[in-house]
Structures are given as C-alpha cells and as structure tokens.
Amino acid sequence: MSWQPEQEGDCEVVLIAEQLRRRVPGGIGTYIRELVRALVANESAGALRLYASHAPHADDPLTKLGTRLTTSRLPAPLLTRLWSSGHHQLRGGDLVHAPSFLLPPTKLTSVMTVHDLAFREIPDAYGRHGLAWHERALRRAAGEVAHFVVPSREVADELIGADLDIAKDRVTVIAEGADHLQAVDDTGAQRLLAQIGVAGPFLLSVGTIEPRKNLVGLIEALALAESELGQ
C-alpha cells in the first residue's frame, strides 16, 4: 500500500477540511488551519487543495486560508453521512489526507492523522452511536488507509496494538505543536477578565465542553491542590 510520487512536485494532496464546517471545529479544526498556514508560509502549498462540503454562506471562510479549495454541492450533514456509509466517491488529485476518522471513499492513496484512540479508552464519553461510528471508521481505515500519522509514540503503540493488522511501517509519529501563537496581550487579558468578573487566581481549561474532557475531575483536582497548598 506504499506510494511515492514519480518526482518532486508531481503530487497533488487533497486535504479534507470538513472539520472546519463544524459549529465548533475543535482541536482537529485547529490542526487543519495551522497545517495549511504553515504550508502557505513555507511556500509549500502549491500542490495542496482543500476539500469540504458546500459553504452554508456566500462568504466562505475556507477561501481565506491561502490555498485552493474545492467544495461539494452537498451540505455538511449529508456529505458526512454519505462518506461514513461508503458513498460519494472523492476523485481528483493524487493523495488524500484525512485529518480525522472521516475518510471519503476514494481510489486515491490516502493518509490519515489519528490524534488519539480516546473512544476506546473512555467509551462511555462517546455515547452508543458515537462509539459505534468511531469503531467502524477505525476498522475501515485499517483496511483502506496507506499510512497513518500520529502525534506520539503512545498513540502509535495503541494503533499498532489495536488488533487490526496495522504494521509498524504504516505509522509515523509527527508531534503536534503550536508555533503560530500571537504575542501575549496582557492588557487585553486583564480587560477580558474584568468583563467576565474574574478578580483572583483562576484555572484555565482550553477545550470544548464535553464529558470526555473531565472538567469535573479538573475542578476536584484544583480543590485538592488548593487544600494541599493552603490557598
């Protein structure tokens, strides 16, 4: 299932940007945006093309990412459902990069980024339908994806050991980073804290509000730490 372009510059990579159509794009949405920005900044986006569902509004924010974009005529919910059931084949390009478990049916060589297998570690946090969807998507990917990208050695070991016949040479570790952060705005931060009524020390949790984020456990841990530290 390995594949190499005939020569440098031959390969057109189709990056699935569907996560950016979500109301809350989450960490995967950030991953897509920063990956595209880094490629554009390094003048490496010439062979990159984004693919996503039909834009819900005339002003499509994906057109502002600085690279080519192809959109389906289908809206996000329908496109996602068709892809998940193995329909609406993606054509064009040489290589498909799926930055999540949402893999479009395609005859092209595909690469998938697997950020974690949390649905196997904490299945109760995903609900019955969510857990079933992730399991189906993982099993399908194991049989169709040529190569996997993971952020850590731990995730690589979990993926290789998932009893899905994923060999070590199909998995590459590429650590995720945050090298496009803006400069610290202390004045703006203090203004925002005053607006929302935060006057003293606080704990900041950056992420979506979901049961799997275990915010209750975070708050309880903070309470324990405060008692231990006498604060």
Side-chain angles (χ1 to χ4, degrees), residues 83 86-96 103-110 140 144:
W83 279 356
H87 297 88
H88 198 66
Q89 187 174 105
L90 179 68
R91 296 179 174 87
D94 299 295
L95 181 73
V96 177
L103 176 70
T106 182
K107 293 182 179 179
L108 303 174
T109 302
S110 57
R140 178 184 160 212
E144 298 182 14

Side-chain angles (χ1 to χ4, degrees), residues 31 34 38 46 49 54-55 62 96 102 106 117 121 127 132 149 157 174 181 186 196 203 205 208-209 214:
Y31 175 84
E34 297 306 317
R49 177 163 57 91
H54 180 71
L62 270 63
V96 177
L102 182 61
T106 182
L117 295 180
E121 297 294 323
V149 175
D157 291 342
I174 301 177
L181 297 177
D186 289 326
I196 61 179
L203 174 67
S205 174
T208 52
I209 301 176
N214 194 20

Side-chain angles (χ1 to χ4, degrees), residues 9-196:
D10 282 348
C11 179
E12 181 188 43
V13 178
V14 181
L15 175 60
I16 305 303
E18 189 58 26
Q19 189 71 23
L20 295 177
R21 292 289 191 231
R22 302 292 188 264
R23 184 178 61 84
V24 181
I28 295 176
T30 300
Y31 175 84
I32 296 169
R33 282 195 303 269
E34 297 306 317
L35 179 59
V36 173
R37 287 173 181 168
L39 291 171
V40 170
N42 287 280
E43 300 182 351
S44 303
L48 177 67
R49 177 163 57 91
L50 306 182
Y51 190 94
S53 58
H54 180 71
H57 307 289
D59 185 19
D60 188 350
L62 270 63
T63 61
K64 300 178 176 63
L65 292 179
T67 191
R68 293 175 297 156
L69 169 68
T70 298
T71 57
S72 171
R73 290 179 293 178
L74 302 176
L78 179 56
L79 182 64
T80 299
R81 181 165 293 187
L82 287 172
W83 279 356
S84 298
S85 60
H87 297 88
H88 198 66
Q89 187 174 105
L90 179 68
R91 296 179 174 87
D94 299 295
L95 181 73
V96 177
H97 179 188
S100 72
F101 283 115
L102 182 61
L103 176 70
T106 182
K107 293 182 179 179
L108 303 174
T109 302
S110 57
V111 173
M112 176 179 286
T113 298
V114 175
H115 302 271
D116 60 58
L117 295 180
F119 62 92
R120 286 194 163 193
E121 297 294 323
I122 45 172
D124 292 344
Y126 285 78
R128 182 167 59 88
H129 293 293
L131 180 60
W133 185 91
H134 279 83
E135 283 289 348
R136 286 196 305 270
L138 174 60
R139 293 180 181 280
R140 178 184 160 212
E144 298 182 14
V145 170
H147 205 83
F148 294 91
V149 175
V150 297
S152 68
R153 185 71 255 167
E154 288 76 14
V155 177
D157 291 342
E158 289 178 10
L159 190 60
I160 294 167
D163 296 326
L164 294 173
D165 197 28
I166 299 175
K168 291 182 179 180
D169 61 1
R170 289 176 64 193
V171 183
T172 297
V173 177
I174 301 177
E176 297 175 356
D179 57 349
H180 301 287
L181 297 177
Q182 298 178 355
V184 176
D185 181 5
D186 289 326
T187 302
Q190 292 301 321
R191 186 185 306 116
L192 176 60
L193 291 174
Q195 289 175 353
I196 61 179

